[in-house]
Amino acid sequence: MEKFINLKAIVAPMDRPNVDTDAIIPKQFLKSIKRTGFGPNLFDEWRYLDHGEPGMDNSKRPLNEDFILNQSRYQGAQILLARENFGCGSSREHAPWALLDYGFRVVIAPSFADIFYSNSFKNGILLIKLDAAVVDDLFNDVAATEGYELNVDLEKQIITKPDGSTIAFDVDEFRKHRLLNGLDDIGLTLQHTDDIKAYEQCRRAEAPWLFN
Amino acid sequence: MAGKTLYEKIWDQHVVRDNGDGTALIYIDRQLVHEVTSPQAFEGLRLADRNLWRIDANLATPDHNVPTTDRSKGIEDPVSRLQVETLDQNCADFGITEFKMDDIRQGIVHVIGPEQGATLPGMTVVCGDSHTSTHGAFGALAHGIGTSEVEHVMATQCLVQAKSKTMLVSVNGEVNAGITAKDIVLAIIGEIGTAGGTGYAIEFAGDAIRALSMEGRMTVCNMAIEAGARAGMVAVDQKTIDFVKGRPYSPKDEQWEQAVKAWSDLHSDADASFDTVVNIDATSIKPQVTWGTSPEMVVGIDNKVPDPADEKDDVKREGMVAALNYMGLTANTPMNEIQVDKVFIGSCTNSRIEDIRAAAEVAKGRKVASNIKLAMVVPGSGLIKQQAEKEGLDKILTNAGFEWREPGCSMCLAMNADRLEPGERCASTSNRNFEGRQGQGGRTHLVSPAMAAAAAVTGHFVDVNDLMS
């Protein structure tokens, strides 16, 4: 996993609540057996005017010019500003893979769905929960200023606006630690092999039917 | 000392170690594996030269991509075929038991786990699929995980987890005639919202939940995720134990006696406290139909399509306008005047034997209406299909004009060939009415199997009680 320490980048606004993982990456692209290459199909049904299928040359497909990510002012955006319950629905990790492959490293919203939240951090994407009123202000700021950028500092847990004002954010200590250091969860857990074996031995004695 | 909730009891039994940072290492008893969310996990194991920690804790089947029509020719779509073949190869390489496409035991993972007794009370159950919450019906702690976590469980048999908050949803009183588990859970979601359960494990309780069969409880827990909760659960009772007994993976003989004794404690203590309690009046629940693009956008069949003008919250109102626009509906249209094009009875929510019986009861002696382009019934597993055929349900349904298919996820998410065309409206017993879920531009209305069958034979939504009385 790639570390996340600090990022200054353009913000793209996704102004609708309950954006689900079917919208983030439609199911036909879940047939891939790879982790990469989902970026061109991020928000596929909103982004293109035709029906997308795996294997198409996406550069030749008709774009929905009204869709936010197709507008020139949001090109190169790495921070996505969203509404409540972002990432609801399926557990597909293809959703954070698609966001990451497109270039997003930060999503800011009033709330996120649980499984999407966990999946995103495991792929080096920082999700920031802010009060709905603060998010509302950011939507207004982004709309008012072309090329609007935010500076996100994970170490200090602070977002800095272009005018120098700041917004503090919370993040679980264990997620922050893994993200700052780009740590591999499996490697960390395997340091506790003895604990797992001891648990199994004990559990096998009290509930042997779980080990048949 | 205050009593414990069911969630806390199972959590405590599975803590391998407290990490001291708000998380614990939790032991996983069962992992179910399917073709869509596993290939990258197996690839990760190979790249790091890691093996499975406990092979026998895993059970696999292909379900999302499999065709529901004649399978003798295999899978036509080469991309889908490769994904299923990759699962076959990975299971062979790593030694995992797999019910392949031509196995009578193949089916939707969330149907076959309980059917095989691979899901047991008190277990921790995971799968790379959000509807893993289904298994909580057995007094198990079950939830969906992403592919990174699938790989983590494969390699360590554990997950790093932060404890959830606890919510009790008590459905009190007796439901009226024609009200099923699906109506109960849609009513709950309508009440608490699609994010109402975020951060919680929900325990469903109350007279109306206790009165449900195990199939019904699975339907309710299945849709806990649609209320935002990763896990939904129901306390163990005699129905749970009767269902589990004698299944291939269930404990036998002395171990059975020992297990039943241990399972008797799988309920929340009388003095346990929950972070949130929600009470629902079962007697007021009507047959439910969703009207929008989120499961919380739901009303009773005797209602009308809601009017965004009545919504005060700006964000919600705009969401309603967008939903009505996508669904091609006008505010204030009576729900029973909405005509449908297709009917889908199936999915991990509603593809079990009692669901098929309910659909057949409505279909019996009737015909699918002339405006319905396709009405299909997709059993949840090969064994359910066999049971339904033994009972003659397939004949009742096909005589009425329904198609009788092979088991799989099918048109719930349309990864195989079963899908809606743009603008088509579907009465569906699945779990998600998201934009494009059943096919790009497709319009999904979530209902119970009886309500779906009623829509099929009348051509529009109708209170199933009007047909059955």
Side-chain angles (χ1 to χ4, degrees), chain A residues 26-139:
Chain A
K27 67 268 176 177
Q28 61 269 35
F29 304 106
L30 272 51
K31 296 175 187 179
S32 167
I33 56 172
K34 299 193 170 74
R35 257 173 217 269
T36 53
F38 297 102
N41 302 109
L42 175 70
F43 299 116
D44 196 275
E45 291 185 6
W46 294 341
R47 198 163 147 195
Y48 300 98
L49 295 171
D50 64 345
H51 175 75
E53 283 292 333
M56 287 170 84
D57 181 352
N58 294 296
S59 66
K60 298 209 170 95
R61 295 175 58 197
L63 293 175
N64 172 8
E65 301 293 347
D66 293 335
F67 185 61
I68 218 80
L69 297 184
N70 291 331
Q71 296 172 17
S72 59
R73 61 185 289 187
Y74 300 118
Q75 295 314 299
Q78 289 182 277
I79 300 173
L80 188 66
L81 183 64
R83 295 289 186 183
E84 61 259 32
N85 202 26
F86 187 83
C88 61
S90 132
S91 65
R92 60 187 70 162
E93 201 158 314
H94 311 68
W97 292 338
L99 287 163
L100 189 67
D101 201 59
Y102 180 88
F104 287 115
R105 292 300 305 277
V106 175
V107 187
I108 301 171
S111 59
F112 297 95
D114 283 346
I115 304 178
F116 175 79
Y117 190 78
S118 160
N119 285 343
S120 294
F121 276 89
K122 288 184 188 305
N123 288 281
I125 301 175
L126 172 61
L127 301 191
I128 301 177
K129 287 184 228 178
L130 297 176
D131 285 346
V134 178
V135 171
D136 233 14
D137 288 344
L138 286 173
F139 268 101

Side-chain angles (χ1 to χ4, degrees), chain B residues 211-230:
Chain B
L212 290 174
S213 64
M214 288 314 294
E215 285 87 349
R217 294 176 190 180
M218 284 189 256
T219 300
V220 171
C221 289
N222 173 275
M223 290 191 72
I225 184 67
E226 279 14 287
R230 289 227 278 188

Side-chain angles (χ1 to χ4, degrees), chain B residues 232-290:
Chain B
M233 54 212 310
V234 175
V236 170
D237 61 11
Q238 193 57 43
K239 280 185 196 171
T240 323
I241 290 166
D242 291 346
F243 185 99
V244 169
K245 193 170 186 181
R247 293 182 184 267
Y249 282 70
S250 299
K252 312 263 180 309
D253 309 323
E254 206 178 305
Q255 278 193 8
W256 171 257
E257 303 300 326
Q258 201 184 347
V260 170
K261 206 171 151 205
W263 296 341
S264 68
D265 189 45
L266 292 173
H267 55 81
S268 291
D269 293 330
D271 57 343
S273 74
F274 290 82
D275 295 304
T276 301
V277 176
V278 177
N279 281 291
I280 307 266
D281 174 17
T283 62
S284 66
I285 299 174
K286 296 275 171 31
Q288 302 283 300
V289 185
T290 63

